[in-house]
Amino acid sequence: MKCVQRQPKLSRSEELLCYARSQKVIQVNTKLLGMEGDPDLKFLLQGGELLKVRSTSWKKPRYLRLLEDCKTMWRESQKTFKTNETFSLEDIAEVRRGRQSEGLKKYTEEQAEGCCFSIMFKGRRKNLDFIANSEEEAKQWVNSLEKLISNINNLNSQQKTEHWIFTCLMKADKNKDDKLTQSEVKDFFRLINIDIDDNYAEMLFKECDKSKSGYLDGKEIEHFYELLTHREEINVIYGTYAKTAGFMSPENLVEFLMTEQRELATLADAHRIIDKYEPDENVKEKKLLSKDGFVMYLHQPEALVLNPEHKDVYQDMSQPLSHYFISSSHNTYLMEDQLKGPSSTEAYVRALMKGCRCVELDCWDGSDDEPVIYHGYTLTSKILFKDVIRAIKEYAFKTSDYPVILSLENHCSVAQQEVMAQHMSSILGSALITSPLGDSMPTNLPSPEELKGKILIKGKRLNKLEASFASEEKEGEDGIKKKNKLKLAKALSDMVVYCKSVHFRSFEDAKNNQSFYEISSFKEGDAIKLAEESANAYIRYNVDKLSRIYPAGSRTDSSNYNPVPLWNTGCQIVALNFQTACTDMDVNQGRFLVNGKSGYVLKPAYMRDSATEFDPITLTRGDWLKHKLLHVMVISAQQLPKVNQKKSSIVDPLVKVQVFGVPADAAEKETHPIENNGFNPGWNENFQFDVYVPDLALVRFVVEDYDFMSENEFIGQYTLPFNSLKMGYRHVPLLSRNGDLLPSAGLFLHIMVLDAE
């Protein structure tokens, strides 16, 4: 970095040394990425000037380029007092070409369409909007960034580790002489999240300093890297099964897969693994698997803790909608709290890209006869209804092909309801369901399969004999009861086909008077009370009718509630604030991690039977009771991120294993903390859990930074359904608080599931 940013003038020899070193760094990183000589990478390394857009009047030049680590972008301000900023390519969610962000649509003219592009970030970081000098240049930026991001994402765990460690080594080498002094080695350890005492650092340094020169270079740094990445726990496992001249033969590998991993493996499977993952061609020729190949295999998706057969759609998708849990969002338009936070179409994009299949639209009269969406009677910002519908149209089916439900909270006048209907009809077109499927009158809800690529409207609907308006007392989702003269536009009413909103009175009343296409919404307090006091009746009700649950109006901070008790009673549309990162959202993400991230998960058979006796609280005997013992050995973790980016800040990690499900299954156990080691902490601690209803259970692995003075700080987590666990030695990827993958970070566990009886 020092070589290319504007610094005090260097001598010619210093400039040449600086340039040579920067080229060496680039060469190593491009080789790791498999992009030697790539023109797109060369373009990004050279960079260029772009116009950054913040408002109609604020458009200023910014120089943007890729740093030598090939994963960090740097931009320079053109202010009098120069400032610069960096961001990691791993933090980018999407690069969009054209005027495809709220800012560019609002602050640029249509004729600039081809020259515009946006960098959209994960989490709450503000997007960057740019205008390039030409359409060709904008296309080059988008294509080059997408290509490099794809290459980085496609690196295996071992390659990501090499990339990261090499980058940290370069940072630790303060005088840029390609040598590491003992002091620089200590700094390097802090960069990779380890704090070691001086005696151990000196011992390690001396072990690597074979030349006795007082510094490490060349082969000595390679030896240092090997010591650093040595994993004794893997060596022990490999050594147990490497019975063929120190290597694993196909027969040895089959023995490992069947004995430890509990997989029905064949010699053909073993040959495929060796052909695919063995890095040494000489070893591969002999049909053997080296330790490096074994480590590489253990980091592959097929060998991780999540059953790879559950990553794609594997469930029956031809049953009625009411037979599925449906990923659902509340106040989808909000980016933050519901009192003064911003509303944004990006919030819809993020929810849909996470597989959400039911989004909420709070609709109010806007100026110029254009309906708006915001949290009424608050200071939250307003966005146009039509812009939201356009965003939904574009992103509804990028993550999942299965149907999206638009839950309308309608506060508009009849005139603007007509506008709403017109926008939905013209923008959504044939994707919008406006009449029942098939030629005959339906008797139950259609299936996700039948509704692929379709959008349904949930809202009020006029009966044939009703007048054009109805008077009713309604409790809004803000908790305020209002006497409304509800005037409903026929055009909007006619768009409500399978999700007609009705008030819930009782289970007995619903049994006699509520049709399958009528849906009731329950605020969380009412729903939890029903789940606790009438669980079986609630489950039976939810067999052929949809229930939508929403957070209490008192949650002005957009906090969430625990969705598990509602899933336990068969509620399908358990709506959460997707904009709020928390344990409840982690559990929600875990529930919908499987089945192709389709946003639909089939309920167990005993929750799809209207005569079921299942009660998650009393747990009387039945098909649901399948008592299992879950054994978890927490072995180690790798490359945990810092929670505080100060160089001197090192984490003290501990691991919690949590089980969510019916009350009898809820449990949590934790390891002891490891002091000052976020790079390769080891625990080797064993836990056992009783799981009585595995169909409804979820397992969450969470890593925290221990603090005896205050609350532990979150580092990363991973949640998945109990029935999707793979047994044996498994790596567990870790997700950030926002639900994004933490590069290189992970846990290493041994998992066993046994029948208790």
Tab-separated table of all heavy atoms in Angstrom, residues 23-55:
chain	number	residue	atom	x	y	z
A	23	GLN	N	4.978	-6.024	-7.183
A	23	GLN	CA	4.719	-6.974	-8.267
A	23	GLN	C	4.816	-8.415	-7.758
A	23	GLN	O	4.070	-9.290	-8.192
A	23	GLN	CB	5.724	-6.755	-9.411
A	23	GLN	CG	5.521	-5.436	-10.150
A	23	GLN	CD	4.097	-5.290	-10.674
A	23	GLN	OE1	3.624	-6.101	-11.460
A	23	GLN	NE2	3.413	-4.246	-10.221
A	24	LYS	N	5.724	-8.657	-6.810
A	24	LYS	CA	5.863	-9.996	-6.245
A	24	LYS	C	4.601	-10.373	-5.462
A	24	LYS	O	4.099	-11.499	-5.561
A	24	LYS	CB	7.085	-10.045	-5.324
A	24	LYS	CG	7.308	-11.422	-4.700
A	24	LYS	CD	8.506	-11.403	-3.765
A	24	LYS	CE	8.663	-12.748	-3.070
A	24	LYS	NZ	9.778	-12.735	-2.104
A	25	VAL	N	4.090	-9.417	-4.667
A	25	VAL	CA	2.860	-9.658	-3.893
A	25	VAL	C	1.705	-9.972	-4.833
A	25	VAL	O	0.940	-10.913	-4.628
A	25	VAL	CB	2.526	-8.433	-3.007
A	25	VAL	CG1	1.165	-8.613	-2.344
A	25	VAL	CG2	3.596	-8.234	-1.951
A	26	ILE	N	1.581	-9.164	-5.891
A	26	ILE	CA	0.512	-9.378	-6.873
A	26	ILE	C	0.666	-10.754	-7.520
A	26	ILE	O	-0.315	-11.482	-7.698
A	26	ILE	CB	0.530	-8.260	-7.941
A	26	ILE	CG1	0.104	-6.924	-7.318
A	26	ILE	CG2	-0.391	-8.620	-9.109
A	26	ILE	CD1	0.322	-5.732	-8.218
A	27	GLN	N	1.893	-11.107	-7.858
A	27	GLN	CA	2.147	-12.391	-8.525
A	27	GLN	C	1.700	-13.563	-7.650
A	27	GLN	O	1.060	-14.499	-8.123
A	27	GLN	CB	3.640	-12.506	-8.845
A	27	GLN	CG	3.993	-13.756	-9.649
A	27	GLN	CD	5.485	-13.822	-9.953
A	27	GLN	OE1	6.268	-13.023	-9.466
A	27	GLN	NE2	5.873	-14.773	-10.765
A	28	VAL	N	2.037	-13.502	-6.344
A	28	VAL	CA	1.649	-14.583	-5.431
A	28	VAL	C	0.133	-14.670	-5.327
A	28	VAL	O	-0.463	-15.748	-5.397
A	28	VAL	CB	2.274	-14.371	-4.034
A	28	VAL	CG1	1.698	-15.375	-3.029
A	28	VAL	CG2	3.783	-14.500	-4.100
A	29	ASN	N	-0.531	-13.515	-5.181
A	29	ASN	CA	-1.988	-13.513	-5.001
A	29	ASN	C	-2.730	-13.913	-6.269
A	29	ASN	O	-3.742	-14.622	-6.202
A	29	ASN	CB	-2.460	-12.135	-4.514
A	29	ASN	CG	-2.169	-11.920	-3.041
A	29	ASN	OD1	-2.477	-12.770	-2.206
A	29	ASN	ND2	-1.560	-10.797	-2.712
A	30	THR	N	-2.253	-13.469	-7.420
A	30	THR	CA	-2.924	-13.863	-8.669
A	30	THR	C	-2.780	-15.356	-8.918
A	30	THR	O	-3.680	-15.997	-9.458
A	30	THR	CB	-2.368	-13.081	-9.876
A	30	THR	OG1	-0.940	-13.224	-9.918
A	30	THR	CG2	-2.732	-11.620	-9.798
A	31	LYS	N	-1.643	-15.917	-8.485
A	31	LYS	CA	-1.453	-17.361	-8.637
A	31	LYS	C	-2.433	-18.116	-7.746
A	31	LYS	O	-3.050	-19.103	-8.159
A	31	LYS	CB	-0.011	-17.735	-8.290
A	31	LYS	CG	0.301	-19.213	-8.544
A	31	LYS	CD	1.766	-19.528	-8.261
A	31	LYS	CE	2.055	-21.007	-8.521
A	31	LYS	NZ	3.459	-21.354	-8.228
A	32	LEU	N	-2.598	-17.640	-6.486
A	32	LEU	CA	-3.552	-18.270	-5.574
A	32	LEU	C	-4.973	-18.227	-6.139
A	32	LEU	O	-5.756	-19.162	-5.985
A	32	LEU	CB	-3.532	-17.560	-4.209
A	32	LEU	CG	-2.406	-17.934	-3.243
A	32	LEU	CD1	-2.382	-16.972	-2.067
A	32	LEU	CD2	-2.573	-19.364	-2.744
A	33	LEU	N	-5.291	-17.133	-6.836
A	33	LEU	CA	-6.633	-16.955	-7.397
A	33	LEU	C	-6.791	-17.613	-8.756
A	33	LEU	O	-7.898	-17.645	-9.308
A	33	LEU	CB	-6.948	-15.452	-7.530
A	33	LEU	CG	-7.157	-14.695	-6.217
A	33	LEU	CD1	-7.070	-13.189	-6.462
A	33	LEU	CD2	-8.497	-15.055	-5.601
A	34	GLY	N	-5.684	-18.129	-9.303
A	34	GLY	CA	-5.755	-18.728	-10.635
A	34	GLY	C	-6.038	-17.699	-11.711
A	34	GLY	O	-6.734	-17.980	-12.694
A	35	MET	N	-5.492	-16.472	-11.559
A	35	MET	CA	-5.801	-15.391	-12.502
A	35	MET	C	-4.535	-14.741	-13.054
A	35	MET	O	-4.514	-13.535	-13.345
A	35	MET	CB	-6.683	-14.330	-11.822
A	35	MET	CG	-8.047	-14.845	-11.395
A	35	MET	SD	-9.088	-13.574	-10.631
A	35	MET	CE	-9.523	-12.560	-12.059
A	36	GLU	N	-3.458	-15.540	-13.213
A	36	GLU	CA	-2.236	-14.973	-13.780
A	36	GLU	C	-2.504	-14.426	-15.180
A	36	GLU	O	-3.080	-15.110	-16.020
A	36	GLU	CB	-1.128	-16.034	-13.866
A	36	GLU	CG	-0.712	-16.608	-12.525
A	36	GLU	CD	-1.332	-17.954	-12.237
A	36	GLU	OE1	-2.517	-18.151	-12.586
A	36	GLU	OE2	-0.642	-18.806	-11.669
A	37	GLY	N	-2.082	-13.186	-15.398
A	37	GLY	CA	-2.224	-12.567	-16.715
A	37	GLY	C	-3.646	-12.223	-17.096
A	37	GLY	O	-3.912	-11.863	-18.248
A	38	ASP	N	-4.581	-12.289	-16.150
A	38	ASP	CA	-5.992	-12.031	-16.467
A	38	ASP	C	-6.210	-10.536	-16.740
A	38	ASP	O	-5.853	-9.695	-15.911
A	38	ASP	CB	-6.873	-12.484	-15.303
A	38	ASP	CG	-8.349	-12.411	-15.640
A	38	ASP	OD1	-8.929	-11.324	-15.510
A	38	ASP	OD2	-8.907	-13.432	-16.035
A	39	PRO	N	-6.812	-10.180	-17.883
A	39	PRO	CA	-6.996	-8.756	-18.219
A	39	PRO	C	-7.955	-8.037	-17.280
A	39	PRO	O	-7.792	-6.843	-17.023
A	39	PRO	CB	-7.548	-8.799	-19.655
A	39	PRO	CG	-8.102	-10.181	-19.823
A	39	PRO	CD	-7.268	-11.068	-18.965
A	40	ASP	N	-8.954	-8.739	-16.753
A	40	ASP	CA	-9.898	-8.101	-15.822
A	40	ASP	C	-9.207	-7.753	-14.514
A	40	ASP	O	-9.444	-6.690	-13.937
A	40	ASP	CB	-11.088	-9.028	-15.557
A	40	ASP	CG	-11.985	-9.171	-16.775
A	40	ASP	OD1	-12.360	-8.138	-17.331
A	40	ASP	OD2	-12.293	-10.307	-17.161
A	41	LEU	N	-8.339	-8.663	-14.036
A	41	LEU	CA	-7.592	-8.387	-12.815
A	41	LEU	C	-6.629	-7.222	-13.043
A	41	LEU	O	-6.481	-6.344	-12.188
A	41	LEU	CB	-6.826	-9.635	-12.372
A	41	LEU	CG	-6.118	-9.533	-11.021
A	41	LEU	CD1	-7.114	-9.317	-9.896
A	41	LEU	CD2	-5.286	-10.773	-10.752
A	42	LYS	N	-5.995	-7.203	-14.196
A	42	LYS	CA	-5.068	-6.115	-14.528
A	42	LYS	C	-5.795	-4.773	-14.542
A	42	LYS	O	-5.283	-3.763	-14.056
A	42	LYS	CB	-4.435	-6.394	-15.895
A	42	LYS	CG	-3.339	-5.412	-16.278
A	42	LYS	CD	-2.701	-5.796	-17.606
A	42	LYS	CE	-1.611	-4.794	-17.980
A	42	LYS	NZ	-0.991	-5.123	-19.294
A	43	PHE	N	-7.015	-4.770	-15.082
A	43	PHE	CA	-7.827	-3.546	-15.123
A	43	PHE	C	-8.096	-3.034	-13.710
A	43	PHE	O	-7.958	-1.836	-13.421
A	43	PHE	CB	-9.146	-3.823	-15.851
A	43	PHE	CG	-10.149	-2.713	-15.741
A	43	PHE	CD1	-10.081	-1.599	-16.567
A	43	PHE	CD2	-11.170	-2.780	-14.800
A	43	PHE	CE1	-11.003	-0.566	-16.448
A	43	PHE	CE2	-12.099	-1.749	-14.681
A	43	PHE	CZ	-12.014	-0.646	-15.509
A	44	LEU	N	-8.473	-3.934	-12.801
A	44	LEU	CA	-8.799	-3.524	-11.438
A	44	LEU	C	-7.558	-3.047	-10.695
A	44	LEU	O	-7.626	-2.105	-9.898
A	44	LEU	CB	-9.448	-4.687	-10.681
A	44	LEU	CG	-10.840	-5.113	-11.150
A	44	LEU	CD1	-11.286	-6.370	-10.419
A	44	LEU	CD2	-11.855	-3.998	-10.929
A	45	LEU	N	-6.405	-3.689	-10.922
A	45	LEU	CA	-5.165	-3.269	-10.266
A	45	LEU	C	-4.727	-1.888	-10.731
A	45	LEU	O	-4.179	-1.096	-9.960
A	45	LEU	CB	-4.061	-4.294	-10.537
A	45	LEU	CG	-4.192	-5.630	-9.786
A	45	LEU	CD1	-3.288	-6.684	-10.397
A	45	LEU	CD2	-3.863	-5.443	-8.298
A	46	GLN	N	-4.996	-1.591	-11.991
A	46	GLN	CA	-4.665	-0.260	-12.518
A	46	GLN	C	-5.659	0.771	-12.007
A	46	GLN	O	-5.288	1.884	-11.645
A	46	GLN	CB	-4.677	-0.288	-14.048
A	46	GLN	CG	-4.334	1.055	-14.677
A	46	GLN	CD	-4.300	0.966	-16.196
A	46	GLN	OE1	-3.999	-0.084	-16.756
A	46	GLN	NE2	-4.612	2.061	-16.849
A	47	GLY	N	-6.937	0.378	-11.955
A	47	GLY	CA	-7.974	1.267	-11.447
A	47	GLY	C	-8.305	2.407	-12.385
A	47	GLY	O	-7.844	2.465	-13.531
A	48	GLY	N	-9.119	3.333	-11.889
A	48	GLY	CA	-9.509	4.471	-12.710
A	48	GLY	C	-10.393	5.424	-11.934
A	48	GLY	O	-10.844	5.136	-10.818
A	49	GLU	N	-10.635	6.564	-12.543
A	49	GLU	CA	-11.443	7.594	-11.901
A	49	GLU	C	-12.912	7.422	-12.260
A	49	GLU	O	-13.267	7.231	-13.419
A	49	GLU	CB	-10.961	8.987	-12.311
A	49	GLU	CG	-11.567	10.094	-11.463
A	49	GLU	CD	-10.903	11.444	-11.695
A	49	GLU	OE1	-11.305	12.132	-12.650
A	49	GLU	OE2	-9.974	11.784	-10.936
A	50	LEU	N	-13.757	7.512	-11.230
A	50	LEU	CA	-15.199	7.392	-11.386
A	50	LEU	C	-15.868	8.573	-10.706
A	50	LEU	O	-15.282	9.224	-9.841
A	50	LEU	CB	-15.707	6.092	-10.743
A	50	LEU	CG	-15.200	4.785	-11.337
A	50	LEU	CD1	-15.397	3.640	-10.351
A	50	LEU	CD2	-15.925	4.485	-12.642
A	51	LEU	N	-17.118	8.823	-11.071
A	51	LEU	CA	-17.902	9.867	-10.426
A	51	LEU	C	-18.785	9.213	-9.377
A	51	LEU	O	-19.632	8.375	-9.707
A	51	LEU	CB	-18.759	10.591	-11.470
A	51	LEU	CG	-19.120	12.064	-11.187
A	51	LEU	CD1	-17.856	12.900	-11.018
A	51	LEU	CD2	-19.990	12.612	-12.303
A	52	LYS	N	-18.544	9.569	-8.100
A	52	LYS	CA	-19.373	9.019	-7.032
A	52	LYS	C	-20.612	9.891	-6.869
A	52	LYS	O	-20.528	11.119	-6.855
A	52	LYS	CB	-18.595	8.962	-5.723
A	52	LYS	CG	-19.375	8.286	-4.604
A	52	LYS	CD	-18.642	8.340	-3.287
A	52	LYS	CE	-19.541	7.790	-2.184
A	52	LYS	NZ	-18.982	7.990	-0.850
A	53	VAL	N	-21.782	9.233	-6.703
A	53	VAL	CA	-23.061	9.949	-6.639
A	53	VAL	C	-23.661	9.825	-5.249
A	53	VAL	O	-23.843	8.716	-4.729
A	53	VAL	CB	-24.060	9.392	-7.674
A	53	VAL	CG1	-25.390	10.120	-7.577
A	53	VAL	CG2	-23.481	9.495	-9.077
A	54	ARG	N	-23.965	10.988	-4.635
A	54	ARG	CA	-24.659	10.986	-3.344
A	54	ARG	C	-25.998	11.712	-3.411
A	54	ARG	O	-26.901	11.406	-2.654
A	54	ARG	CB	-23.793	11.662	-2.276
A	54	ARG	CG	-22.805	10.739	-1.610
A	54	ARG	CD	-22.232	11.401	-0.379
A	54	ARG	NE	-21.107	10.660	0.166
A	54	ARG	CZ	-20.277	11.157	1.074
A	54	ARG	NH1	-20.430	12.387	1.513
A	54	ARG	NH2	-19.286	10.414	1.528
A	55	SER	N	-26.093	12.686	-4.281
A	55	SER	CA	-27.342	13.434	-4.442
A	55	SER	C	-27.323	14.086	-5.815
A	55	SER	O	-26.366	13.927	-6.586
A	55	SER	CB	-27.481	14.512	-3.352
A	55	SER	OG	-26.496	15.522	-3.539
